[in-house]
Amino acid sequence: MSEELCELGIVGLTSLGQSIAAHHASVKTRVCVGDEDASFVPQVIKEYKTQSEAGEEDYEPGQKRASRCMLPSRNMEEMVARLT
């Protein structure tokens, strides 16, 4: 399975980290996110997807969806390898 490349990496999903990641993902910048507590990452991504999918009624096929621009990273090495 090939991993999608990201344009930005955020390590540490504090309130500020989550806000920065959500802001960039909402403008369709692929953001790779990670945290020392790996179990926390899927929760953050799920919440972001839920909120952003509600605003994607005007989605056109072939466009990048904002709800798919926040991607999980299991560790720092994986994140670095995925950054463009």
Side-chain angles (χ1 to χ4, degrees), residues 22 25-26 44-53 66-67 70:
S26 69
V44 170
I45 291 173
K46 182 179 177 184
E47 182 64 29
Y48 170 74
K49 282 184 178 182
T50 300
Q51 290 179 8
S52 62
E53 284 175 347
S67 62
M70 190 181 296

Side-chain angles (χ1 to χ4, degrees), residues 28 52-61 63 65:
K28 300 182 182 178
S52 62
E53 284 175 347
E56 290 186 331
E57 297 88 24
D58 61 344
Y59 168 75
E60 293 180 26
Q63 288 184 334
R65 287 182 175 228

